[in-house]
Amino acid sequence: MTPDSQTNFLYLADTLPKKFPEFYARLERELKAQNVAFDFLPGTKDVWAVDYMPIQVGDSFIQFRYDPGYLKPLKYQKTKSDVDAICASLGIQTHKSDIVLDGGNLVRSAHQAFVTDRIFEDNPAWERKALLTELKKLLELDRIFLLPVQPGDFTGHADGMARFVNEKTILANDYAKESRKFYEALEIALHNTGLEVVKLPYNVYNNPSNNHANGDYINFLQMENVIFVPVFNFKEDEEALRIIETCFPDQKVIPIESNVLAKDGGILNCISWNIRR
């Protein structure tokens, strides 16, 4: 599978500058300053591009079914973009799978990936082992690790919980202030990977709603030579940047103030569809 660290082109939803103009202006300045090639996905209905766009595996694109449980209510149906039309306009052919999987629930390296156990809820017709086996086959992975869904998380995604540094090391949020049941389940899941775990500050506890992602630094945008990290004018900003710089010494680490975006439930990885061209 194509990891974020090997991507060199970024697509953003064309709804992003309309919905978050001030945030987009900041992001655009930094993308241009870092010489990141980017363009817009046409005809989108929401800004969370990583969720509905296909997953790149080498020169191929796997299109999973974008029909998660949290979008079943009628009021959310209007937010579902026509991915076939978007890909056709970009000249991208996809290989389709009937598995329901959001891109935000797939945290990947070249040979390994994380998903939360929400994937079983979204695919009740699949036997669990068969589902994971099929995912490994489609994505050309050696291993897939399961994480428990964080209580109160509307989407149940993994990209706000953990990220790969390399094939031996991961970053994970410090969930010490979460419920003991969730914290212990997550610690067991991370321990069972056999990977080294580096903890990243996590402070969402003064947010007025569970839907706000302010204080979740791990939802960064990583590309070939640069990592854009969300910051929030919190005291943890500096520590989070230092840890990420230490983990990725060969990449530039650029802070992007992301409060307005995070109040809508997602951050930098959520808005990004970055690929290898």
Side-chain angles (χ1 to χ4, degrees):
M1 189 162 54
T2 305
D4 292 330
S5 60
Q6 293 179 13
T7 60
N8 60 7
F9 196 91
L10 172 66
Y11 282 103
L12 302 167
D14 60 359
T15 46
L16 183 66
K18 303 169 189 174
K19 187 170 184 179
F20 300 104
E22 293 183 4
F23 165 80
Y24 173 72
R26 289 194 298 275
L27 178 62
E28 181 186 42
R29 283 195 299 270
E30 291 297 346
L31 291 174
K32 290 180 177 178
Q34 302 304 321
N35 296 313
V36 174
F38 70 98
D39 204 346
F40 293 104
L41 300 170
T44 62
K45 293 185 178 179
D46 75 19
V47 303
W48 315 120
V50 73
D51 288 338
Y52 47 82
M53 293 303 291
I55 305 298
Q56 187 174 22
V57 181
D59 295 327
S60 300
F61 291 90
I62 310 299
Q63 180 63 60
F64 292 100
R65 193 153 57 91
Y66 183 52
D67 192 28
Y70 64 85
L71 291 184
K72 296 294 187 184
L74 186 61
K75 65 179 180 178
Y76 295 123
Q77 291 295 305
K78 64 182 180 181
T79 70
K80 294 173 69 173
S81 299
D82 186 341
V83 182
D84 289 340
I86 294 171
C87 288
S89 70
L90 299 176
I92 293 174
Q93 292 187 331
T94 63
H95 300 279
K96 294 186 178 181
S97 168
D98 67 349
I99 293 173
V100 176
L101 175 64
D102 302 349
N105 196 26
L106 184 71
V107 173
R108 60 194 189 270
S109 67
H111 304 292
Q112 304 174 98
F114 284 103
V115 296
T116 70
D117 51 19
R118 178 67 60 83
I119 193 170
F120 300 132
E121 183 179 319
D122 282 337
N123 295 277
W126 280 83
E127 189 273 328
R128 292 188 172 200
K129 184 176 180 181
L131 176 61
L132 296 180
T133 298
E134 179 67 8
L135 276 178
K136 286 196 292 185
K137 178 182 175 182
L138 286 171
L139 299 173
E140 299 180 6
L141 295 170
D142 295 331
R143 298 197 294 175
I144 292 181
F145 306 115
L146 287 169
L147 299 177
V149 172
Q150 183 180 4
D153 183 357
F154 176 69
T155 63
H157 286 174
D159 67 347
M161 301 176 71
R163 299 291 289 272
F164 283 93
V165 176
N166 51 46
E167 298 293 345
K168 296 181 178 180
T169 305
I170 58 171
L171 279 167
N173 284 335
D174 184 351
Y175 285 118
K177 293 183 179 180
E178 292 289 314
S179 70
R180 178 170 293 276
K181 180 180 179 181
F182 168 71
Y183 178 73
E184 290 181 350
L186 180 67
E187 289 297 298
I188 291 170
L190 294 176
H191 173 76
N192 288 344
T193 68
L195 303 172
E196 180 181 354
V197 180
V198 177
K199 291 296 182 70
L200 200 61
Y202 179 74
N203 182 14
V204 302
Y205 301 106
N206 292 320
N207 292 339
S209 167
N210 280 341
N211 294 331
H212 292 191
N214 310 65
D216 190 350
Y217 299 93
I218 211 161
N219 196 276
F220 52 74
L221 163 59
Q222 182 181 24
M223 297 189 66
E224 191 172 47
N225 298 311
V226 64
I227 298 174
F228 298 97
V229 178
V231 293
F232 310 97
N233 299 316
F234 289 0
K235 63 182 179 62
E236 291 86 0
D237 289 0
E238 186 175 342
E239 182 185 1
L241 290 168
R242 178 185 58 78
I243 292 171
I244 292 171
E245 287 171 344
T246 300
C247 287
F248 300 97
D250 298 327
Q251 292 188 281
K252 291 183 180 179
V253 175
I254 308 296
I256 302 284
E257 195 269 291
S258 301
N259 277 300
V260 172
L261 185 66
K263 286 180 181 178
D264 214 43
I267 328 182
L268 298 183
N269 187 67
C270 300
I271 62 169
S272 307
W273 189 53
N274 42 311
I275 63 173
R276 181 82 188 178
R277 295 216 310 190

